[in-house]
């Protein structure tokens, strides 16, 4: 049936239909990109006795979705329309009590797939949250000097999730159409500490080929050195970050240089913890993509 363009412009019902289609089609395409797969078959090893339920809330300073009380780790897969051969494991932060699954996970995944990168967002196990308001509880836990004791039994499980996720990427590269030698990791805050564990492992199948350590928490032990096998690294932070001092990032940069491994460091004057409080800091992902091109991971 032919519809006159003039009639179309005058008829409001046609306009409403047209706008609805414009909204629905991209939404369908976006949802089709995501595939959620369990990290383990059955109950995750080590958390068989966890009887609490996973929760979701947007009661955070930036009003974006976070998850907490995670006991079943998953990978959310985002496939590009035209793959360039690179893959990235995203590890969001949250102090190991919550996971910033949207701001440091899904939102970034949707940006990276536009560049042809296959993206996997890791939802790992977390420490137990007792209240119905996990964000302030997480902040209080971070201030508590006994926090490390609270996480003592959970932290090894969280690390195991990160290693299992990276091995999954390495073993399933042909299935997802990316190069098994172009697998990277980007970690944020506490997630950056997990990414660092992967970078420094002596197990090749779990070690990434490149890394982004974004406002990462890094507390090196005395005489701590980076192995000569660490991958090229991109480091970014803000000088006004009150949760992860830029000294963490400068120490990482220095450790990489001491190991004589490629490293790039960006310190923004403003941006806070999250790099969203200034326009220049908010462009860190563009700088990361440029860096990937320079080291040959985007070809």
């Amino acid at each position: 049936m032919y519809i006159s363009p003039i009639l179309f412009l005058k008829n409001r019902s046609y306009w409403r239909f047209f706008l609805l289609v414009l909204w629905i089609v991209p939404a369908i395409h976006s949802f089709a990109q995501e595939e959620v797969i369990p990290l383990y078959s059955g109950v995750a090893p080590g958390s068989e006795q966890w009887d609490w339920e996973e929760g979701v809330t947007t009661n955070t300073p930036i009003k974006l979705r976070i998850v907490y009380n995670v006991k079943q780790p998953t990978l959310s897969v985002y496939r590009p329309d035209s793959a360039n051969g690179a893959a990235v494991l995203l590890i969001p932060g949250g102090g190991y009590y919550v996971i910033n699954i949207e701001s440091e996970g899904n939102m970034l995944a949707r940006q990276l797939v536009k560049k042809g990168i296959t993206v996997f967002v890791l939802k790992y196990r977390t420490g137990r949250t007792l209240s119905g308001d996990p964000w302030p509880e997480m902040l209080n836990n971070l201030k508590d000097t006994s926090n490390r004791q609270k996480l003592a039994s959970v932290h090894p499980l969280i690390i195991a999730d990160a290693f299992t996720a990276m091995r999954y990427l390495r073993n399933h590269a042909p299935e997802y159409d990316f190069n098994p030698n172009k697998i990277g990791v980007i970690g944020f805050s506490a997630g950056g500490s997990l990414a660092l564990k992967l970078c420094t492992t002596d197990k090749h199948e779990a070690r990434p080929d490149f890394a982004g350590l974004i406002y990462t928490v890094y507390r090196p032990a005395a005489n701590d050195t980076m192995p000569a096998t660490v991958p090229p690294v991109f480091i970014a932070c803000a000088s006004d970050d009150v949760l992860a001092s830029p000294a963490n990032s400068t120490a990482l940069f220095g450790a990489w240089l001491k190991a004589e491994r490629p490293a790039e460091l960006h310190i923004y004057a403003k941006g806070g913890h999250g790099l969203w409080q200034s326009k220049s800091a908010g462009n860190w992902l563009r700088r990361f993509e440029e860096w990937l091109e320079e080291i040959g991971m985007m070809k």
Side-chain angles (χ1 to χ4, degrees), residues 152-286:
S153 62
V154 182
H155 196 239
L157 304 182
I158 299 173
I159 294 173
D161 292 345
F163 274 72
T164 302
M166 182 56 71
R167 289 191 182 99
Y168 181 89
L169 268 65
R170 191 77 69 189
N171 294 333
H172 291 79
E175 177 183 339
Y176 291 99
D177 193 27
F178 60 81
N179 190 328
N181 298 314
K182 289 188 176 183
I183 302 174
V185 64
I186 307 178
F188 304 85
S189 191
S193 298
L194 292 177
L196 182 58
K197 293 281 188 184
L198 296 174
C199 291
T200 56
T201 182
D202 59 356
K203 298 176 175 59
H204 170 72
E205 71 279 6
R207 188 172 61 244
D209 302 299
F210 60 89
L213 302 179
I214 315 301
Y215 43 91
T216 291
V217 178
Y218 174 57
R219 299 185 180 94
N223 301 319
D224 196 12
T225 59
M226 292 294 166
T229 54
V230 291
V233 69
F234 177 98
I235 304 168
C237 66
S239 60
D240 62 348
D241 190 334
V242 298
L243 293 180
S245 165
N248 289 271
S249 294
T250 56
L252 277 170
F253 182 67
W256 244 261
L257 293 184
K258 189 175 180 179
E260 299 183 347
R261 297 296 294 151
E264 182 163 319
L265 172 64
H266 295 256
I267 302 179
Y268 297 93
K270 294 182 179 180
H273 194 70
L275 298 180
W276 57 272
Q277 297 177 30
S278 77
K279 184 176 180 180
S280 59
N283 285 325
W284 73 266
L285 188 60
R286 293 184 183 179

Side-chain angles (χ1 to χ4, degrees), residues 39-196:
L39 202 57
Y40 305 98
S41 58
V43 178
S47 52
E48 292 87 353
Q49 305 305 315
W50 294 10
D51 59 358
W52 47 88
E53 295 297 323
E54 180 177 315
V56 181
T57 182
T58 57
N59 188 23
T60 73
I62 56 176
K63 305 301 180 184
L64 290 175
R65 187 167 60 99
I66 64 172
V67 292
Y68 59 99
N69 283 345
V70 178
K71 60 181 181 180
Q72 289 296 110
T74 63
L75 284 170
S76 293
V77 189
Y78 291 80
R79 302 196 195 200
D81 292 331
S82 180
N84 65 15
V88 165
L89 175 67
L90 289 182
I91 309 182
Y96 300 136
Y97 283 99
V98 304
I99 299 178
N100 298 315
I101 200 70
E102 204 64 34
S103 63
E104 297 170 350
N106 299 329
M107 290 176 63
L108 287 172
R110 296 184 188 108
Q111 293 299 313
L112 288 169
V113 292
K114 294 177 182 178
K115 297 295 183 178
I117 301 171
T118 306
V119 185
F120 298 76
V121 179
L122 175 61
K123 185 177 72 173
Y124 50 88
R125 281 172 283 187
T126 58
R128 187 179 183 184
T129 296
L130 300 176
S131 71
D133 197 7
W135 188 264
E137 184 176 339
M138 178 268 294
L139 293 177
N140 288 333
N141 284 333
L142 294 181
K143 297 175 184 177
D144 187 352
T145 56
S146 65
N147 179 55
R148 292 187 181 182
Q149 293 179 348
K150 294 179 181 178
L151 286 173
S153 62
V154 182
H155 196 239
L157 304 182
I158 299 173
I159 294 173
D161 292 345
F163 274 72
T164 302
M166 182 56 71
R167 289 191 182 99
Y168 181 89
L169 268 65
R170 191 77 69 189
N171 294 333
H172 291 79
E175 177 183 339
Y176 291 99
D177 193 27
F178 60 81
N179 190 328
N181 298 314
K182 289 188 176 183
I183 302 174
V185 64
I186 307 178
F188 304 85
S189 191
S193 298
L194 292 177
L196 182 58

Side-chain angles (χ1 to χ4, degrees), residues 19-29:
L19 292 174
L20 180 63
V21 170
L22 286 180
W23 179 84
I24 289 176
V25 171
I28 292 174
H29 179 73

